[in-house]
Amino acid sequence: MATSDDTTPARNWHKATYTTERGACVEVSEGPVTGIRDSKNRDLGALFFPADEWAAFVRAARGERL
């Protein structure tokens, strides 16, 4: 379940691996709760997911089977 609550603990933001200089900039903070935010619009907040949900999303995005 995703939330946009900025009070959820997240730290050590880093740009996602596929971030490009021309746009599509996403920052991720991984941990027990994983945060996702737009690096160009940080003031819009972030979405937070439990680590297991984030890991499942990454596996699916990569086309990996469970």
Side-chain angles (χ1 to χ4, degrees):
M1 174 179 199
T3 177
S4 62
D5 181 4
D6 285 331
T7 63
T8 303
R11 52 180 194 241
N12 298 324
W13 292 95
H14 61 89
K15 286 194 178 181
T17 305
Y18 293 103
T19 295
T20 65
E21 293 299 320
R22 296 188 298 162
C25 300
V26 176
E27 291 180 326
V28 178
S29 175
E30 296 171 291
V33 175
T34 300
I36 317 308
R37 69 182 180 189
D38 183 339
S39 64
K40 292 183 179 182
N41 295 296
R42 292 181 184 126
D43 57 327
L44 294 177
L47 295 175
F48 296 91
F49 302 87
D52 58 338
E53 287 184 19
W54 177 248
F57 169 77
V58 170
R59 283 191 305 273
R62 290 179 178 163
E64 297 175 7
R65 292 188 168 178
L66 300 175

